[in-house]
């Protein structure tokens, strides 16, 4: 019945770097399954004569001119950072020793 | 770690056919970033050019830079591409500290430009047409530096630092189709193709095109197909190849490495590899894995880009003469031999020489001065030759030499004065008093004095031993502090020696 498996939820969680408990995976599998079912219903309605759309507004070519506007100050930019080193964001090690 | 074994290049080609592919990233030189008004410039302090949009903070809303679209369309047209009637952005989702948004805004199924081709000419004269699959727009990532552990390496670092100034800078990624039939020319094809892209973006003015600053970056894909087989081999993607010479070396290295591995019964892993400039080798990076599931989807915060055909044609009208055609035309106009012309091209002095000739200099003199003394001084100063002196000044210098006002030696001193900011060549001649002494009066006085003090030499000259005049000429040039035309001095010495009876 469900359009999504627990394995798929676990895979998505690892791609999104979210640590989920088995209980959370089980409940998310049900929730996401319902969403997938709903999307299936929409797909039934979407016949070939309905063009695919990625945006609800019938707009194209919304551009801005190439003019510099003030940026944040370094302090503002770094204010939400968990850690910093001088004017740079500091992050944990990315790869282990090979 | 066991050193990778390489097969002899010719042997590798006997056994396998190389198949290539290139992805070249071009950083556009717009004033602002792709989706926000932060300045697109480096050399500033870290994290000085950021805002909620390029930092991926809540409330950030991307807005497309019109100039970046314009540059992308012009680049697509210059590569012979079709320009999409409808094009859109997509999110390429991945988690890595170089992008604060946790996705790169790129293009997936509807790139702005596609189906192009670029014909390059190798040194042998062989022409190779590289088919371009697509050229799509995306934003650049921030810059990481790794601290602790083995110096500068990501593996085993204690922590990493991020500067997001580059995050959000507009890029165009140019993707080729598979290049087959390159054979022994494969490494040169790589180098020449990237050089051609660099030349085009420079001529278009859409990028600063400095490879050493990462404005043009190349990923080289190489696979080998056993002779007689029609099944493609597994390819590797070598990243980080950021000079023309490195592209050539990296392609050659991968052919030799893969051939050695395959012929020993091994298999190629589909992976990204890193190029090491210092050792001339590639090393294994990340193998393709589940993490390459980027879950692309259309960017909901941006509406499609649908360039009108009128706009596309307007932009097509702004395209410069294709660089390869221009080179052919200039070499013919100037009458340079291949080596002379290559010298100018390789020194990146085509524009400078052209402007110097336009300012009135002869082609050979313009070439000689730019690739000679100017290039030498630039090399000493560690800067580009065309940043050292203006073409019209070189032309003025050449004019002074050709008018006989300066000898080559004096002209080199004048050039130094011009570079030191002492004024135009003529002003330097005046202020430094460097003109050739053309009035014979002081010369004759110096010659008579030299002849009188060396009576034995005078006697020899009179006996017809003309070579003896050298000693007198040397003394005169010394007395004139070198500011005399040696040929004229010689003429006068012989004349004075004859008339001194
Ligand atoms: Zn910004």
């Amino acid at each position: 019945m469900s359009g999504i498996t627990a394995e798929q939820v676990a895979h998505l969680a690892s791609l999104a770097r979210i640590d989920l408990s088995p209980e959370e995976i089980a409940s998310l599998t049900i929730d996401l399954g319902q969403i997938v079912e709903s999307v299936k219903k929409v797909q039934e309605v979407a016949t070939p004569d309905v063009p695919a759309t990625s945006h609800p507004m019938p707009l194209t070519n919304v551009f801005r001119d190439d003019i510099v506007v003030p940026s944040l100050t370094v302090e503002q930019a770094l204010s939400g950072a968990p850690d910093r080193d001088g004017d740079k964001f500091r992050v944990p090690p990315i790869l282990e020793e090979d | 770690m066991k050193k990778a074994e390489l097969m002899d290049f010719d042997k590798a080609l006997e056994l396998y056919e190389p198949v290539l592919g290139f992805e070249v990233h071009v950083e556009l030189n717009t004033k602002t970033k792709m989706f926000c008004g932060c300045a697109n410039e480096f050399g500033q302090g870290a994290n000085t050019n950021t805002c909620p949009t390029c930092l991926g903070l809540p409330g950030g809303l991307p807005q497309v830079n019109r100039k970046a679209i314009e540059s992308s369309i012009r680049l697509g047209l210059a590569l012979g591409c079709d320009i999409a009637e409808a094009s859109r952005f997509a999110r390429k989702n991945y988690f890595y500290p170089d992008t604060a948004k946790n996705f790169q805004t790129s293009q997936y199924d509807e790139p702005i430009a596609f189906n192009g081709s670029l014909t390059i000419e190798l040194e042998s004269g062989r022409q190779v047409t590289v088919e371009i699959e697509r050229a799509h727009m995306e934003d650049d990532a921030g810059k990481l530096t790794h601290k602790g552990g083995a110096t500068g390496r990501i593996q085993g670092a204690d922590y990493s630092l991020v500067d997001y100034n580059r995050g959000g800078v507009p890029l165009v990624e140019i993707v080729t189709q598979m290049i087959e039939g390159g054979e022994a020319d494969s490494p040169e094809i790589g180098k020449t193709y990237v050089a051609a892209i660099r030349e085009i973006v420079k001529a278009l003015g859409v990028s600063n095109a400095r490879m050493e600053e990462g404005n043009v970056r190349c990923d080289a894909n190489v696979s080998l197909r056993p002779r007689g087989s029609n099944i493609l081999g597994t390819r590797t993607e070598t990243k980080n190849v950021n000079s023309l010479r490195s592209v050539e070396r990296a392609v050659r290295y991968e052919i030799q490495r893969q051939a050695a591995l395959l012929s020993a019964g091994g298999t190629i892993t589909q992976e990204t590899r890193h190029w090491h400039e210092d050792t001339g080798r590639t090393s294994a990076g990340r193998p393709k894995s589940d993490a390459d599931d980027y879950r692309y989807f259309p960017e909901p915060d941006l509406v499609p880009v649908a360039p009108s055909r009128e706009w596309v044609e307007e932009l097509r009208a702004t395209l410069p003469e294709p660089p390869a055609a221009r080179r052919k035309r200039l070499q013919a106009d100037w009458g340079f031999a291949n080596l002379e012309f290559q010298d100018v091209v390789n020194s990146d002095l085509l524009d400078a020489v052209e402007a110097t000739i336009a300012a009135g200099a002869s082609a050979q003199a313009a070439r000689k001065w730019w690739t000679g003394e100017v290039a030498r001084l630039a090399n000493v100063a560690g800067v580009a030759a065309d940043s050292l002196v203006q073409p019209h000044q070189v032309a003025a210098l050449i004019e002074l030499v050709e008018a006989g006002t300066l000898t080559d030696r004096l002209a080199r001193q004048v050039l130094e004065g011009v570079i030191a900011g002492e004024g135009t060549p003529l002003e330097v001649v005046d202020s430094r008093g460097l003109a050739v002494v053309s009035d014979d009066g002081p010369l004759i006085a110096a010659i008579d004095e030299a002849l009188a003090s060396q009576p034995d030499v005078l006697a020899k000259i009179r006996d017809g031993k003309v070579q003896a005049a050298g000693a007198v000429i040397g003394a005169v040039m010394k007395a004139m502090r070198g500011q005399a035309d040696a040929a004229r001095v010689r003429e006068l010495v012989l004349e004075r020696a004859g008339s001194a009876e």
Side-chain angles (χ1 to χ4, degrees):
Chain A
M1 146 82 200
S2 173
I4 194 161
T5 66
E7 288 71 37
Q8 286 173 311
V9 173
H11 176 59
L12 283 173
S14 79
L15 288 175
R17 304 290 189 274
I18 299 172
D19 205 8
L20 293 180
S21 67
E23 294 75 31
E24 287 169 316
I25 290 178
S27 87
L28 275 169
T29 303
I30 294 166
D31 291 352
L32 289 172
Q34 284 167 353
I35 293 170
V36 170
E37 286 303 315
S38 307
V39 171
K40 255 188 200 153
K41 281 217 171 62
V42 176
Q43 280 176 329
E44 282 163 20
V45 180
T47 53
D49 55 316
V50 180
T53 176
S54 57
H55 204 278
M57 304 287 282
L59 286 173
T60 57
N61 298 336
V62 177
F63 299 139
R64 121 190 109 74
D65 288 331
D66 187 25
I67 295 167
V68 177
V69 298
S71 292
L72 296 175
T73 65
V74 175
E75 288 312 311
Q76 286 172 323
L78 288 160
S79 60
D83 200 0
R84 65 186 282 180
D85 187 339
D87 289 341
K88 291 183 177 171
F89 292 81
R90 178 173 165 151
V91 298
I94 298 166
L95 285 185
E96 292 177 354
E97 186 69 72
D98 57 5
Chain B
M1 195 174 78
K2 185 170 161 282
K3 197 177 172 188
E5 275 184 43
L6 299 185
M7 183 183 280
D8 173 73
F9 185 67
D10 294 333
K11 176 92 184 297
L13 284 166
E14 261 172 47
L15 299 176
Y16 304 98
E17 180 197 348
V19 178
L20 313 173
F22 297 96
E23 286 153 34
V24 176
H25 287 85
V26 176
E27 221 169 53
L28 301 180
N29 59 1
T30 49
K31 293 192 183 69
T32 65
K33 294 187 180 182
M34 185 81 214
F35 301 112
C36 63
C38 291
N40 171 13
E41 64 182 5
F42 305 113
Q44 301 293 310
N47 293 305
T48 48
N49 298 328
T50 70
C51 71
T53 297
C54 57
L55 283 180
L57 298 179
L61 188 65
Q63 290 179 297
V64 176
N65 182 339
R66 183 196 317 273
K67 182 77 181 176
I69 300 286
E70 193 180 291
S71 297
S72 304
I73 294 174
R74 291 178 72 231
L75 177 49
L77 289 171
L79 295 172
C81 289
D82 295 334
I83 303 302
E85 302 213 14
S87 169
R88 63 180 173 181
F89 290 98
R91 290 190 183 183
K92 179 183 182 180
N93 299 282
Y94 69 96
F95 288 80
Y96 201 69
D98 67 359
T99 176
K101 297 182 295 182
N102 291 340
F103 60 86
Q104 180 183 34
T105 310
S106 182
Q107 296 198 291
Y108 184 56
D109 52 355
E110 295 184 11
I112 186 86
F114 52 94
N115 280 350
S117 73
L118 180 60
T119 299
I120 56 174
E121 188 175 318
L122 307 182
E123 271 176 38
S124 62
R126 178 185 171 191
Q127 304 231 337
V128 177
T129 297
V130 177
E131 304 292 340
I132 311 278
E133 183 184 311
R134 56 191 277 158
H136 67 253
M137 302 180 286
E138 58 189 25
D139 59 359
D140 208 346
K143 201 171 170 53
L144 292 172
T145 37
H146 309 292
K147 296 287 175 181
T151 14
R153 290 180 71 236
I154 186 171
Q155 290 89 352
D158 294 331
Y159 60 96
S160 301
L161 299 176
V162 200
D163 172 5
Y164 287 112
N165 281 350
R166 197 180 61 189
V169 162
L171 295 177
V172 176
E173 178 176 342
I174 303 161
V175 183
T176 68
Q177 291 188 11
M178 275 189 323
I179 305 168
E180 301 176 88
E183 299 296 347
D185 290 331
S186 293
E188 191 191 348
I189 288 172
K191 179 183 82 168
T192 311
Y193 168 72
V194 178
I197 296 284
R198 184 174 155 268
E199 206 173 41
I200 285 171
V201 298
K202 205 173 158 198
L204 287 166
V206 299
S207 170
N208 295 337
R210 284 193 283 266
M211 292 190 79
E212 65 280 11
E213 288 178 22
N215 302 145
V216 177
R217 315 197 282 262
C218 174
D219 299 341
N221 298 323
V222 176
S223 69
L224 296 184
R225 173 159 56 196
R227 294 284 169 195
S229 163
N230 52 11
I231 300 162
L232 282 172
T234 305
R235 72 189 171 93
T236 60
E237 180 177 358
T238 304
K239 302 239 173 212
N240 235 351
V241 199
N242 293 336
S243 78
L244 297 179
R245 191 166 156 264
S246 297
V247 176
E248 185 168 29
R249 291 170 73 203
V251 170
R252 176 180 289 269
Y253 182 89
E254 271 303 288
I255 290 172
Q256 293 181 265
R257 186 189 69 85
Q258 292 184 18
L261 202 56
L262 288 171
S263 70
T267 50
I268 306 298
T269 312
Q270 188 176 352
E271 63 190 358
T272 57
R273 295 186 68 84
H274 300 291
W275 169 249
H276 303 282
E277 187 69 52
D278 47 352
T279 57
R281 299 174 51 206
T282 64
S283 67
R286 203 169 45 80
K288 289 278 176 195
S289 72
D290 286 354
D292 292 314
D293 180 351
Y294 292 119
R295 293 149 294 140
Y296 282 95
F297 63 84
E299 164 58 79
D301 286 340
L302 293 168
V303 300
V305 175
S308 73
R309 298 302 95 180
E310 293 74 29
W311 191 27
V312 171
E313 289 316 308
E314 247 171 61
L315 293 173
R316 193 192 301 279
T318 68
L319 297 185
E321 181 182 14
R326 175 173 174 240
R327 277 190 274 114
K328 277 211 156 51
R329 175 175 62 80
L330 291 178
Q331 185 177 357
D333 283 359
W334 298 344
F336 284 1
N338 284 344
L339 278 178
E340 290 174 337
F341 193 73
Q342 271 315 310
D343 200 14
V344 175
V345 172
N346 295 342
S347 319
D348 229 344
L349 287 169
L350 215 49
D351 290 341
V353 170
E354 187 184 26
T356 305
I357 295 168
S362 71
Q364 283 298 351
R367 181 189 63 76
K368 187 189 96 175
W369 278 94
W370 278 105
T371 61
E373 191 62 8
V374 181
R376 189 186 69 78
L377 292 171
N379 194 28
V380 170
V383 298
D386 56 0
S387 70
L388 211 53
V389 58
Q390 296 290 316
H392 68 88
Q393 291 171 322
V394 175
L397 187 75
I398 291 168
E399 198 185 324
L400 290 171
V401 174
E402 284 173 0
T405 310
L406 294 175
T407 59
D408 272 12
R409 197 180 66 77
L410 288 173
R412 286 195 289 273
Q413 293 180 40
V414 173
L415 181 63
E416 281 175 26
V418 172
I419 289 168
E422 294 169 26
T424 66
L426 204 54
E427 285 163 359
V428 176
V429 166
D430 285 346
S431 63
R432 291 199 181 187
L434 287 174
V436 169
V437 176
S438 53
D439 177 359
D440 288 346
L443 276 184
I444 290 168
I447 288 166
D448 287 352
E449 197 186 318
L451 286 172
S453 65
Q454 301 183 66
D456 49 330
V457 176
L458 177 60
K460 281 182 186 167
I461 297 173
R462 283 187 184 156
D463 281 353
K465 289 175 183 150
V466 182
Q467 329 68 297
V472 178
I473 295 168
V476 172
M477 291 303 285
K478 200 176 164 195
M480 301 307 294
R481 295 195 173 81
Q483 293 177 41
D485 177 353
R488 179 67 186 144
V489 172
R490 182 185 158 81
E491 227 170 71
L492 286 172
V493 166
L494 297 180
E495 196 182 304
R496 297 304 289 173
S499 66
E501 281 186 80

